[in-house]
Amino acid sequence: DLMQKTGKNEIASYCIDNDKNIWIGTRGGGLFLKSPSGNPVLFYRSGNSGEDYVNDIAVDEKYVWIGTLNGVVLINRRTGTVKNWYNINNGLPHNMINQVFITREGNAAIATRSDRLYLINPETGIIPGNAILYGTVMNEISSFCQTTDGNIWAATKGNGVFEFYGDSVRSWSRADMLMSDYSYSILADSVNRIWIGHDRGFSRYNRNNSIMRTYGTDYAQGGICNNDGMYESPDGKVMIGTNQGLIVYDRQKDRKVNTPPLNNVNYLTINDIRYPYRPSYSLPYSKRYSVRVNYVGINFSDPDKVYYQTRLVNYDDDWSRITTDREVPYSLSDGRYQFNLISVNESGLTQDTPVTFDISIKKPFWRTWWFILASISLISGIIILIVKEREKAQKKVQDYLEKELEARTSVVMKQKTEIELANLEITDSINYAKRIQTSILPDFSKLKSTFMESFILFRPRDIVSGDFYWFDQLDDERFMIVCADSTGHGVPGAFMSMIGSTLLQDIVSRQKISKPSQVLTMLDKQVFSTLNRNIELGVANDGMDIVVCEINVKTRHITFASAMRPVIIVLGGESFYIKGNRSSVGGESVIEKYFDDQEYYLSPGDTIYMFSDGLPDQFGGTDGKKLKIARLKKLIEDVAGLTMEGQQEVIAKFYEEWKGEHEQVDDILLIGIRV
């Protein structure tokens, strides 16, 4: 009768909400809604057969979630309109949806073919999990449940059961006494137990004592548990749906066994010879013993439901996982060991004291104290004789070396004096080169007169620097500033910086080129031409990474072009990281280079920062790692509210603390301007 009222569409799923409305999903006919007193009416149909094939339905206060053959459809419950549609085209790993499970947090867990847990937030969209699922086949999640502590459990077809907690995942399979790796339904009941439905049976995992119990065909009558076919009633009854009928478990009628099983070791097998149990075993030395311990926990009320934990002291780090195995193998060398056994029944009861026995395997004679002592005495005597003879020979060599040392020392002292004089001359030359380089750099007061709020943090690695800055007033409104990082540092870098400063002065002041991209294009050609005039000496690939920025002082309009260097702009208190073109100035001339202009309008108080790679590449901190762009950007965000002079002080102090005992790796240049 219900199929007639849903347009003769076969029913695939249904859901009852808190208002006792019945939501009916069909195989290709869409979604129907039946109120408590009315007939089913069509609520949603797309006209797409895959999207109208409704495998599962989940309903909350605002939305209706439907899992289809073509993804997940999120529908506004009040208006009936589609809010979103999720499939492989926008983030889901597969279109075939087995279940949509709404968590206590309001997200929807999606059961499908997947390598991880996928959640959908109705407002923000798909949230792929970090914890990766693993197994022998591709994971197909068939059903979800959630425990009282918020952990999500997933049943899969072929890889057992997974528990998601935070960003981690743990698994249970046949190796952990699960009845089957093929699981079709899962339920977390109110007493902290997990029920898992299989083919011809089901498993129950007790989270309180970590015991897994299985129920076979005697309970399930050969039936296959239905997908997502488990439910706990308000009075605590667990209902399991199978294709052979309904199984109902009533824990109030479940008899508890209050007597723990008796721990008992049957016998030991040592190198294939069986020995009866006794409190201790003493064995002669052998390179390796193969030992197998056979044991049983005596439980007359339910002999098959006994579980075991073992530990061999000085061999195992901890107790073994709970298992039903009644024998454990070991491969032992010399030493002292103690075996411990605990038997546990299904209720978690065990004897207070484990059963134990000791195994002692003797050491070989060459590891006994008397043999070691005799060997040490013999070796010590031989060493003393050898040392005496070597001392005699060493005395002769020492006399000869002392005479040679006196002769060589006079020569070395003479050479040391010559080297110190040469080093002093080189240092004086480099210091003079620093004076020349400093005189070429523009006066900071010229920048300060135009931008009261500005700073330049400039620290060469050596005496002279490959980083340099250049700026000039173009007219009453426009000001140009350049931040450059030349190839190398020290003297070679200083030559490059002087070439760059000279060429910039010519391009901007004499040739009257002020568009930043054109400045970079002309500078690129002239750097390459300047360094390769004597072609017979080989082609030079030296160049520089550089930012050219033009600022209109009145309109606060900035235009900049960049060769391999980023720029950080703080607009209205929010920082933006802007990359430059992926070509340097100079270097290889065979590549087609392109420099473009980027333009921004700044508001009063906005700032722009240009810098070389010396500061981001500096090693330091507690781990000795690079500072990197992200940390520099965060530092600029933290100091953005200070004056520019205050920013310079904080950044300089941070750099010194970050560098610590590490050496400076490169020249450092950071320019900050507030408009």
Side-chain angles (χ1 to χ4, degrees):
D1 181 59
L2 192 58
M3 284 184 59
Q4 293 291 334
K5 294 179 180 179
T6 56
K8 297 184 179 180
N9 291 296
E10 185 178 355
I11 296 173
S13 57
Y14 72 92
C15 174
I16 302 175
D17 62 23
N18 294 332
D19 300 323
K20 297 184 180 181
N21 297 313
I22 303 176
W23 300 82
I24 304 166
T26 66
R27 302 182 189 271
L31 178 68
F32 289 80
L33 171 63
K34 181 185 181 307
S35 64
S37 59
N39 291 321
V41 295
L42 181 64
F43 186 81
Y44 168 79
R45 180 183 293 161
S46 69
N48 180 299
S49 59
E51 191 177 332
D52 291 337
Y53 194 114
V54 182
N55 281 331
D56 191 51
I57 310 165
V59 182
D60 58 22
E61 295 299 324
K62 294 180 62 177
Y63 301 106
V64 179
W65 303 76
I66 60 175
T68 74
L69 298 183
N70 201 22
V72 176
V73 182
L74 179 61
I75 304 172
N76 187 301
R77 180 172 174 175
R78 183 177 60 83
T79 64
T81 58
V82 175
K83 176 177 173 60
N84 269 315
W85 178 25
Y86 303 95
N87 56 24
I88 59 175
N89 296 324
N90 55 8
L92 280 185
H94 200 274
N95 281 346
M96 170 66 176
I97 309 301
N98 295 323
Q99 184 196 12
V100 179
F101 176 80
I102 300 179
T103 68
R104 295 188 186 93
E105 297 76 21
N107 298 320
I110 307 304
T112 184
R113 282 181 173 268
S114 172
D115 64 344
R116 67 194 67 196
L117 173 65
Y118 278 80
L119 298 173
I120 299 178
N121 183 285
E123 307 303 331
T124 62
I126 296 174
I127 312 169
N130 295 325
I132 303 297
L133 301 180
Y134 51 88
T136 57
V137 296
M138 178 61 182
N139 288 287
E140 181 176 352
I141 301 174
S142 57
S143 183
F144 285 112
C145 69
Q146 189 173 24
T147 55
T148 54
D149 55 5
N151 295 354
I152 296 176
W153 290 65
T156 70
K157 297 179 181 179
N159 288 324
V161 173
F162 293 89
E163 178 188 11
F164 298 90
Y165 55 104
D167 290 335
S168 302
V169 64
R170 64 169 66 94
S171 67
W172 280 261
S173 64
R174 284 180 59 85
D176 305 293
M177 296 187 293
L178 194 68
M179 170 175 278
S180 170
D181 288 339
Y182 286 84
S183 307
Y184 305 109
S185 56
I186 190 166
L187 170 72
D189 68 15
S190 56
V191 291
N192 213 23
R193 294 182 295 192
I194 308 298
W195 299 76
I196 306 107
H198 308 290
D199 185 354
R200 297 181 178 85
F202 53 94
S203 305
R204 186 183 71 187
Y205 177 68
N206 192 326
R207 299 182 74 207
N208 298 320
N209 56 24
S210 301
I211 291 178
M212 182 79 72
R213 183 173 181 179
T214 60
Y215 301 84
T217 55
D218 292 343
Y219 296 92
Q221 298 181 0
I224 299 174
C225 292
N226 296 327
N227 283 346
D228 194 29
M230 289 188 172
Y231 172 74
E232 183 182 18
S233 64
D235 59 356
K237 293 183 177 68
V238 175
M239 303 179 185
I240 304 172
T242 75
N243 62 1
Q244 296 295 322
L246 180 67
I247 301 171
V248 179
Y249 165 77
D250 187 350
R251 64 171 176 266
Q252 295 180 353
K253 298 179 180 179
D254 195 356
R255 293 180 299 167
K256 303 297 181 183
V257 178
N258 296 320
T259 304
L262 300 176
N263 300 320
N264 182 67
V265 175
N266 297 328
Y267 57 84
L268 270 71
T269 302
I270 304 175
N271 288 351
D272 298 326
I273 300 176
R274 181 179 293 189
Y275 296 88
Y277 167 76
R278 56 176 181 263
S280 64
Y281 300 85
S282 181
L283 304 175
Y285 170 74
S286 178
K287 187 175 182 180
R288 191 63 61 180
Y289 278 100
S290 175
V291 178
R292 302 184 71 86
V293 184
N294 186 279
Y295 47 82
V296 66
I298 302 174
N299 184 16
F300 295 108
S301 61
D302 199 353
D304 293 331
K305 300 303 178 182
V306 180
Y307 307 89
Y308 305 95
Q309 278 187 292
T310 61
R311 184 188 181 195
L312 187 62
V313 179
N314 292 334
Y315 186 91
D316 296 323
D317 294 332
D318 202 351
W319 288 90
S320 67
R321 297 183 70 173
I322 291 180
T323 178
T324 56
D325 295 338
R326 296 182 179 180
E327 190 172 76
V328 60
Y330 298 103
S331 180
L332 305 180
S333 58
D334 59 278
R336 294 181 177 273
Y337 307 93
Q338 184 185 65
F339 179 80
N340 294 264
L341 169 68
I342 291 177
S343 304
V344 186
N345 66 11
E346 191 186 20
S347 300
L349 297 177
T350 182
Q351 291 183 306
D352 294 334
T353 304
V355 64
T356 65
F357 64 81
D358 298 323
I359 299 178
S360 176
I361 302 175
K362 293 183 178 179
K363 297 179 181 179
F365 75 90
W366 59 84
R367 288 173 56 191
T368 57
W369 67 268
W370 58 267
F371 182 84
I372 295 173
L373 183 60
S375 300
I376 293 174
S377 301
L378 178 61
I379 293 172
S380 299
I382 295 173
I383 292 174
I384 291 172
L385 290 175
I386 294 173
V387 170
K388 292 292 185 182
E389 292 299 321
R390 288 179 61 86
E391 284 179 351
K392 293 178 182 179
Q394 191 70 25
K395 181 63 176 174
K396 295 179 182 179
V397 175
Q398 184 177 353
D399 293 339
Y400 170 76
L401 291 177
E402 286 178 353
K403 294 178 182 178
E404 287 292 316
L405 181 60
E406 291 177 1
R408 298 288 179 87
T409 300
S410 61
V411 175
V412 171
M413 292 301 296
K414 182 179 179 181
Q415 293 174 343
K416 176 176 178 292
T417 302
E418 294 174 353
I419 292 171
E420 288 177 346
L421 290 173
N423 185 57
L424 182 60
E425 291 178 0
I426 294 171
T427 303
D428 289 343
S429 298
I430 296 175
N431 283 326
Y432 190 74
K434 179 182 180 181
R435 291 179 56 191
I436 296 173
Q437 185 184 36
T438 304
S439 66
I440 293 176
L441 294 175
D443 188 1
F444 176 64
S445 61
K446 188 174 183 180
L447 177 66
K448 197 77 171 175
S449 64
T450 304
F451 301 100
M452 290 295 295
E453 284 286 281
S454 61
F455 70 82
I456 298 178
L457 180 63
F458 181 52
R459 296 194 178 184
R461 196 196 86 161
D462 303 313
I463 298 173
V464 289
S465 170
D467 291 0
F468 70 95
Y469 55 89
W470 183 92
F471 46 78
D472 197 7
Q473 183 83 35
L474 302 181
D475 51 37
D476 292 341
E477 296 184 357
R478 296 180 301 153
F479 192 92
M480 179 170 287
I481 184 165
V482 176
C483 174
D485 182 357
S486 304
T487 301
H489 44 73
V491 173
F495 275 110
M496 288 297 300
S497 70
M498 293 174 70
I499 292 171
S501 296
T502 304
L503 292 177
L504 280 169
Q505 187 70 36
D506 179 73
I507 292 169
V508 177
S509 300
R510 189 182 66 82
Q511 300 183 43
K512 301 300 182 181
I513 297 175
S514 60
K515 189 175 183 181
S517 60
Q518 294 178 358
V519 171
L520 289 184
T521 301
M522 182 61 69
L523 182 62
D524 174 59
K525 294 177 181 178
Q526 293 194 13
V527 167
F528 183 82
S529 173
T530 302
L531 296 178
N532 292 281
R533 289 177 179 173
N534 295 321
I535 199 66
E536 64 275 4
L537 299 178
V539 177
N541 292 325
D542 299 299
M544 58 190 71
D545 300 339
I546 184 169
V547 179
V548 178
C549 182
E550 180 193 45
I551 304 176
N552 190 305
V553 179
K554 293 185 177 180
T555 65
R556 294 182 296 278
H557 175 264
I558 66 169
T559 304
F560 70 87
S562 173
M564 296 291 289
R565 292 307 309 149
V567 172
I568 295 177
I569 299 179
V570 178
L571 302 176
E574 184 177 359
S575 64
F576 297 88
Y577 175 79
I578 306 168
K579 295 182 178 180
N581 294 108
R582 302 298 297 173
S583 298
S584 294
V585 167
E588 294 282 355
S589 65
V590 294
I591 1 178
E592 183 67 26
K593 297 183 181 179
Y594 172 74
F595 302 104
D596 62 351
D597 292 306
Q598 301 191 55
E599 302 182 31
Y600 294 88
Y601 279 97
L602 275 59
S603 300
D606 290 344
T607 52
I608 180 172
Y609 300 87
M610 295 170 281
F611 49 91
S612 66
D613 59 3
L615 194 54
D617 288 349
Q618 178 62 48
F619 290 96
T622 56
D623 299 327
K625 296 182 178 180
K626 285 186 178 182
L627 182 69
K628 293 189 177 180
I629 291 291
R631 196 175 277 107
L632 175 61
K633 182 173 178 288
K634 177 64 168 57
L635 176 61
I636 289 175
E637 291 174 352
D638 293 340
V639 303
L642 303 176
T643 65
M644 299 307 285
E645 183 178 353
Q647 290 185 25
Q648 182 180 2
E649 292 179 0
V650 173
I651 293 172
K653 182 179 179 182
F654 174 84
Y655 164 74
E656 292 296 337
E657 293 176 351
W658 174 265
K659 181 168 73 72
E661 300 298 326
H662 294 80
E663 293 185 358
Q664 183 174 335
V665 299
D666 200 356
D667 302 321
I668 290 175
L669 175 60
L670 173 63
I671 302 173
I673 298 174
R674 175 171 287 161
V675 300

